[in-house]
Amino acid sequence: MIPRTIVARQLTRSGLLRASSSYPSKASLTAARGLVNAKQSSWREATAAAAVQQHRGYSGSATAAQSEKETITKLLYNIGSRKEVEQYLRHFSSVESQKFAVIKVGGAVLTDELDTLASAITFLNRVGLYPIVLHGAGPQLNNLLEKAGVVPDYHDGIRITDEKTLEIARKVFMAENLKLVEALEKMGTRARPLPGGVFEAEYLDKDKYGFVGKITGVNKEVIEASIRAGALPILTSLAETPAGQILNVNADVAAGELARVLEPLKIVYLNEKNGLYNGDTGKKIDVINLDEEYADLLKQPWVKYGTKLKIKEIKELLDHLPRSSSVAIISAGHLHKELFTDSGSGTLIRRGFKLFHHNSLEKLDKDRLRRILEQEDPQVQSGQVSVSSYLHDLENTKKGFKAYGDEPYEVLAVVKNDDETSSGVPKLDKFIATKAAVLNNVTDNVWALLSKDYPSLTWIVDENDANKGWHFDKAEGSFTKNGKTLFWKGLDDVGTIEKVVSQFLDAQTKEAVTAATSGSGAFTSGQRRSFSTGFNKSTSPFKGGRRMFSTSSSAQRDVKKIGLIGARGYTGQELIRLVNNHPSMEISYVSSRELEGKPLEGYTKSPITYVNLSPDQVKEKTQSGEVDAWILALPNGICKPFVDAVESAEEGKKMVLCDLSADFRFTDSWTYGLPEFNRANLPGATRISNPGCYATGSQLSIRPLLEHLGGAPSIFGVSGYSGAGTKPSPNNDVNHLKDNLIPYALTNHIHEREVSHQLGREVNFMPHVAPFFQGITLTVNLPLNKTMTSGEVREIYEAAYENEKLVHVLKGVPLVKENAGKHFARVGGFGVHSSGKRVVVVATIDNLLKGAATQAVQNLNLSLGLGEYTGIPLD
């Protein structure tokens, strides 16, 4: 999928490291270094350590300040890419303190995530930033009202506030305000409580709402005085009339008014859920484009009460700010990602642009149309066709055309009703977009609009396009030959598909003849290409009516040179065996600190000796072209120096990196390597994060029923002790394991977080280690949102994995001893509770093979243009 995002984010980012003659204390330097050197360190641990150092009285000289700034910059590189961090630092360096960010904190955050919130805010302050924090206290107020026998009442999402409610609200706001201030000051961060005196108001409607205020003014001086004194302003949403009467104001409304007056670069709403969630599907909403979606969104039955008020207030706020402004709704733990990276976190809300669709050139803006064609269309840029000739061709299309796009013409899609192939299927003749439109998902919005008009469609793209995964995602089938890929969707009849493919092949033949007779290739050297995997004549595009991904034929296949870093472990040994038997891969380097200088055993293609490669040596060998792909089989938190080394050596063509650790499984810029569900994005991918063993088996167990889930899945996992690695520990001590089953990491296991992240919903995972060496068994409890039978469930899994060679569906319960040493996973059981609303699925997988090494080879095959299952035993 095209990543969600963010030219709008780049224009509305908050100020990081503003220009100043002073720098943070040595305490923050200590915290930053801790985060740079240990990725697993939490914000809480780092900022707490900083506070301890600060209380010991450290102070920084000019030299120390410069060193501190450099360390903080390195920390930011650890959170985001070097390019984006440097871009944000340049963009935000001149921002005034009070214009950095308004952060609205939900009351539930103060109860459940106070330490996380205080740590995140403390870190921002350590790098010289002064966010203006405004908090609510809704859950706390409801709790005290219930104890006082007062029933909360709402009208249009607004809390009706009588005298008793206001009395309790004032006490609650004071208490919560001081609680946050004290949490910050315990971490060495100066903060000033401002429970009142900031907002002036009048009654909104006293008869209807009681003591509820409508803000009429904001006293900026109070906030600015706090910042001048070096203290973070911590506000509540309580307001006062000119006569001094306290009035209750919704915190979201107050944050909006504050933003209108201060016009900060960033407006952040913190909640405990890390975004807004669709009440029907339960899935997080990544982006809301208000111009297109606002009216329909408010009609949704789940949009009510505070949610409706929040969306209305954000809409009104953004209507009065520059179109590039945006609002982010995230959790406290993701605050740093929102501020320091392109991808952000949570839900991004922006105005966006209205979309259009016209079937006449007269209705199109000719100047903007010409501009996007000249700037983004490869055919126009290469000189194959001029803008004038293309527009003339459109005017003379026999059955007409339809053009789609957005108001600023950053996306243009053109569908021809007569596709000139007599197949009868409309042809997407052009789909071009600026980088800004791609990053902001305007492409998805335009696609959704044209798909309503054209449920059936074909289109052709060229190889090597950066967005080829997007096309694979939109298509239901594809066929590749000679560097071009034919895509289609909505074609259920095999005869129609065969006709479309046949005409595509005929056109390819004519093009080749034309190129040969003209003495030139089909594309000029200056033309940009798009979209492809390779071509394999033995692969039918019609099999099972499923999407097929063809790869290069063996006759044309080059042998790919592999560098393996971290070969001592069990997974490294399995990788060596697989590459040794792979017809199109060979090992160039194998690196292990413990085995340096020893011969590589079990590898027969050529004599190889273990080396101990440093990051600099990896950089050197990347530059020399001695390696086509690096496999990183290292423990968690170790591989980043090697990744940095490779990235610093890349010039033009990118090196393929496949990381077997968990370091990049939550990083959007890396491709998640679970081919059964992410195959479209793997051809040509250069940054692949190999899934975890438990995570692979869990997702294979859950994904087919994802849309039918009625609650959080619970996963009881048992692994052989090889999963604990080669470093001695109780979890791989045979004597300790004898006659034993050892639970560990009872909550928040890295694979629990990984599966939840990839599925977009929470799962519960309970791992155990057993006395056997190799293999995993997973017993997965799945609540259903409708009544189903065991047969119906099994049919869903059989359909999902019908053409998957590395996933076998059984009627019975798979056994771990029968799957050990096998390169495929097994899924079965399908026991349904008597209520029909709960199913138990059992999966087995070899943790070292499909759970690690085999999957890495599968991913590399796809990335490097080889047959997906080449070199993988399928028996």
Side-chain angles (χ1 to χ4, degrees):
M1 293 288 291
I2 290 179
R4 156 191 161 222
T5 193
I6 321 239
V7 168
R9 284 188 184 277
Q10 295 172 348
L11 296 176
T12 57
R13 262 313 143 182
S14 46
L16 312 176
L17 282 179
R18 55 192 181 85
S20 173
S21 59
S22 62
Y23 289 86
S25 66
K26 188 172 182 179
S28 63
L29 176 60
T30 303
R33 280 175 177 159
L35 283 167
V36 170
N37 295 328
K39 286 181 66 174
Q40 290 91 347
S41 296
S42 68
W43 296 98
R44 184 188 313 171
E45 292 165 344
T47 48
V52 170
Q53 295 293 341
Q54 187 174 36
H55 285 303
R56 289 177 179 172
Y58 286 102
S59 62
S61 64
T63 302
Q66 180 61 34
S67 174
E68 182 176 34
K69 182 176 180 180
E70 293 172 357
T71 302
I72 292 170
T73 302
K74 290 179 182 178
L75 167 61
L76 299 185
Y77 292 158
N78 198 42
I79 298 171
S81 71
R82 177 183 294 266
K83 180 179 179 181
E84 60 188 314
V85 167
E86 290 178 350
Q87 177 180 355
Y88 293 141
L89 289 177
R90 287 193 302 269
H91 181 63
F92 302 137
S93 60
S94 62
V95 175
E96 297 177 8
S97 297
Q98 69 271 23
K99 289 184 175 292
F100 163 47
V102 170
I103 299 178
K104 184 268 172 177
V105 181
V109 177
L110 295 176
T111 299
D112 301 331
E113 299 181 87
L114 180 62
D115 289 345
T116 301
L117 171 66
S119 298
I121 294 174
T122 292
F123 175 77
L124 295 177
N125 189 236
R126 289 288 192 269
V127 296
L129 302 176
Y130 285 83
I132 298 165
V133 181
L134 183 148
H135 67 82
Q140 298 91 325
L141 177 55
N142 285 338
N143 184 43
L144 290 183
L145 289 175
E146 183 179 351
K147 290 180 179 179
V150 179
V151 179
D153 192 12
Y154 296 85
H155 193 283
D156 297 328
I158 299 172
R159 182 191 296 272
I160 296 176
T161 306
D162 56 18
E163 288 187 1
K164 184 66 174 178
T165 300
L166 183 63
E167 176 188 349
I168 295 174
R170 185 184 180 193
K171 293 178 181 178
V172 169
F173 273 115
M174 288 287 292
E176 295 300 312
N177 190 261
L178 289 173
K179 184 168 73 173
L180 177 55
V181 169
E182 288 173 358
L184 289 167
E185 292 188 337
K186 283 180 181 178
M187 293 186 172
T189 300
R190 293 189 62 194
R192 178 172 292 183
L194 297 175
V198 175
F199 298 107
E200 298 175 3
E202 60 186 22
Y203 286 97
L204 179 62
D205 186 331
K206 190 173 183 180
D207 294 336
K208 188 174 183 180
Y209 303 112
F211 293 95
V212 174
K214 178 181 179 181
I215 294 175
T216 57
V218 175
N219 186 0
K220 292 195 301 181
E221 288 73 18
V222 177
I223 296 170
E224 292 169 351
S226 175
I227 294 175
R228 284 196 301 271
L232 297 178
I234 311 299
L235 287 59
T236 74
S237 60
L238 291 178
E240 299 172 13
T241 67
Q245 172 62 53
I246 294 176
L247 297 177
N248 186 24
V249 178
N250 178 275
D252 291 337
V253 175
E257 291 296 332
L258 196 60
R260 287 186 186 91
V261 172
L262 298 177
E263 294 188 334
L265 287 173
K266 200 68 190 177
I267 307 158
V268 178
Y269 289 74
L270 294 183
N271 68 12
E272 74 282 8
K273 297 179 180 179
N274 195 37
L276 286 179
Y277 285 74
N278 185 303
D280 292 332
T281 66
K283 295 182 178 180
K284 184 175 69 177
I285 303 172
D286 286 333
V287 181
I288 297 175
N289 292 298
L290 293 171
D291 279 5
E292 277 293 315
E293 303 173 46
Y294 179 71
D296 289 338
L297 191 60
L298 290 189
K299 295 177 184 176
Q300 300 298 316
W302 57 270
V303 178
K304 53 187 177 182
Y305 307 132
T307 300
K308 177 175 284 189
L309 181 62
K310 186 190 296 285
I311 293 172
K312 284 183 175 180
E313 289 298 327
I314 291 174
K315 169 72 161 61
E316 185 177 342
L317 169 63
L318 291 177
D319 281 345
H320 292 86
L321 292 176
R323 188 172 285 275
S324 58
S325 298
S326 63
V327 171
I329 301 177
I330 58 173
S331 67
H334 290 81
L335 180 59
H336 55 287
K337 183 177 181 182
E338 173 62 31
L339 297 178
F340 292 88
T341 68
D342 282 348
S343 57
S345 183
T347 300
L348 177 71
I349 303 179
R350 60 188 176 218
R351 289 172 65 189
F353 288 97
K354 287 283 189 180
L355 303 182
F356 67 78
H357 53 103
H358 301 307
N359 55 11
S360 169
L361 286 178
E362 285 72 24
K363 296 179 181 179
L364 297 172
D365 186 320
K366 300 293 197 311
D367 292 335
R368 290 184 174 183
L369 181 61
R370 175 175 289 276
R371 185 199 65 197
I372 189 172
L373 288 169
E374 289 175 343
Q375 293 179 355
E376 306 296 338
D377 186 11
Q379 288 184 314
V380 172
Q381 290 186 328
S382 67
Q384 281 185 286
V385 65
S386 68
V387 174
S388 297
S389 62
Y390 181 70
L391 297 181
H392 181 267
D393 176 61
L394 278 185
E395 275 188 314
N396 291 282
T397 302
K398 294 178 182 178
K399 295 184 181 179
F401 70 92
K402 203 162 191 178
Y404 299 81
D406 61 336
E407 285 180 337
Y409 280 69
E410 293 197 332
V411 177
L412 175 66
V414 178
V415 179
K416 287 185 176 181
N417 295 319
D418 64 332
D419 62 357
E420 301 174 2
T421 65
S422 70
S423 68
V425 182
K427 175 186 175 183
L428 179 62
D429 185 63
K430 202 169 293 295
F431 196 105
I432 55 177
T434 66
K435 183 179 180 181
V438 171
L439 291 174
N440 284 287
N441 276 359
V442 183
T443 45
D444 280 353
N445 295 338
V446 172
W447 179 264
L449 181 61
L450 74 84
S451 292
K452 292 178 182 179
D453 296 334
Y454 295 98
S456 300
L457 208 59
T458 67
W459 67 102
I460 300 170
V461 294
D462 301 322
E463 64 182 351
N464 298 330
D465 187 279
N467 298 319
K468 62 187 175 184
W470 184 86
H471 283 270
F472 274 111
D473 182 70
K474 302 307 179 197
E476 295 172 1
S478 64
F479 187 79
T480 299
K481 186 175 183 182
N482 296 340
K484 288 190 175 182
T485 300
L486 167 71
F487 291 100
W488 64 84
K489 74 177 190 75
L491 306 184
D492 298 324
D493 178 61
V494 173
T496 302
I497 297 175
E498 289 178 339
K499 190 174 184 179
V500 167
V501 172
S502 178
Q503 290 163 350
F504 168 69
L505 294 174
D506 288 345
Q508 290 281 288
T509 301
K510 291 178 183 178
E511 184 175 299
V513 171
T514 301
T517 56
S518 66
S520 64
F523 302 96
T524 65
S525 60
Q527 181 177 345
R528 290 180 299 171
R529 294 182 171 181
S530 326
F531 318 89
S532 180
T533 56
F535 175 60
N536 184 346
K537 293 181 180 180
S538 65
T539 303
S540 165
F542 314 120
K543 185 176 180 181
R546 293 168 55 86
R547 182 189 308 170
M548 294 288 109
F549 301 86
S550 51
T551 52
S552 303
S553 66
S554 59
Q556 300 171 335
R557 188 180 293 130
D558 295 326
V559 175
K560 304 298 182 182
K561 295 168 288 185
I562 306 299
L564 175 58
I565 301 176
R568 176 178 178 271
Y570 297 126
T571 298
Q573 295 303 308
E574 294 294 349
L575 279 165
I576 291 167
R577 293 189 188 97
L578 282 165
V579 175
N580 188 52
N581 293 301
H582 198 296
S584 299
M585 289 184 188
E586 62 183 27
I587 292 176
S588 290
Y589 293 96
V590 58
S591 178
S592 171
R593 183 181 59 190
E594 292 87 350
L595 301 176
E596 181 180 8
K598 296 182 180 180
L600 174 60
E601 298 180 358
Y603 185 74
T604 60
K605 291 184 177 181
S606 62
I608 297 286
T609 300
Y610 282 99
V611 292
N612 181 20
L613 295 177
S614 68
D616 286 340
Q617 290 171 317
V618 169
K619 177 179 179 179
E620 176 186 322
K621 297 184 186 311
T622 299
Q623 289 173 325
S624 67
E626 298 175 60
V627 173
D628 292 305
W630 290 101
I631 301 177
L632 306 175
L634 296 165
N636 295 341
I638 303 298
C639 72
K640 190 175 188 302
F642 296 97
V643 174
D644 290 344
V646 169
E647 291 183 341
S648 67
E650 290 174 327
E651 296 179 2
K653 181 180 178 182
K654 284 196 140 190
M655 170 66 63
V656 175
L657 285 171
C658 183
D659 176 32
L660 274 63
S661 77
D663 289 8
F664 296 99
R665 292 175 190 160
F666 303 87
T667 304
D668 293 340
S669 59
W670 283 59
T671 302
Y672 189 68
L674 186 56
E676 286 74 19
F677 298 104
N678 198 28
R679 184 175 282 112
N681 292 322
L682 286 163
T686 58
R687 299 291 181 271
I688 302 169
S689 181
N690 216 58
C693 50
Y694 275 130
T696 297
S698 297
Q699 290 180 76
L700 293 176
S701 304
I702 297 170
R703 274 193 179 272
L705 281 181
L706 199 57
E707 64 179 285
H708 303 298
L709 291 182
S714 295
I715 307 160
F716 185 93
V718 181
S719 172
Y721 61 84
S722 61
T726 56
K727 183 178 180 180
S729 75
N731 284 357
N732 57 21
D733 183 334
V734 178
N735 293 325
H736 183 61
L737 286 165
K738 184 179 179 182
D739 302 324
N740 212 349
L741 183 67
I742 303 175
Y744 65 100
L746 300 182
T747 61
N748 293 318
H749 187 283
I750 184 66
H751 290 164
E752 179 178 87
R753 303 199 300 273
E754 179 182 345
V755 175
S756 298
H757 177 74
Q758 294 298 328
L759 295 182
R761 62 185 304 151
E762 181 182 353
V763 302
N764 303 307
F765 176 51
M766 297 144 286
H768 303 71
V769 62
F772 55 84
F773 176 73
Q774 191 168 355
I776 284 175
T777 181
L778 298 156
T779 304
V780 185
N781 179 70
L782 301 167
L784 302 174
N785 57 19
K786 67 176 184 178
T787 302
M788 301 181 74
T789 67
S790 178
E792 289 171 339
V793 172
R794 187 175 67 251
E795 286 177 1
I796 290 173
Y797 281 79
E798 288 173 343
Y801 298 128
E802 179 182 4
N803 294 311
E804 298 296 345
K805 296 183 180 180
L806 297 184
V807 184
H808 297 182
V809 178
L810 308 182
K811 291 184 179 179
V813 174
L815 301 179
V816 67
K817 69 177 183 178
E818 295 175 355
N819 217 113
K822 300 294 193 297
H823 295 267
F824 50 79
R826 287 187 171 106
V827 183
F830 308 121
V832 174
H833 186 262
S834 57
S835 66
K837 298 294 289 291
R838 181 171 71 87
V839 62
V840 177
V841 175
V842 179
T844 56
I845 185 174
D846 191 301
N847 55 298
L848 303 178
L849 298 177
K850 177 58 177 169
T854 302
Q855 189 142 261
V857 171
Q858 188 181 3
N859 286 325
L860 285 174
N861 282 339
L862 288 166
S863 171
L864 296 170
L866 307 175
E868 180 177 346
Y869 304 108
T870 303
I872 299 174
L874 299 178
D875 296 336

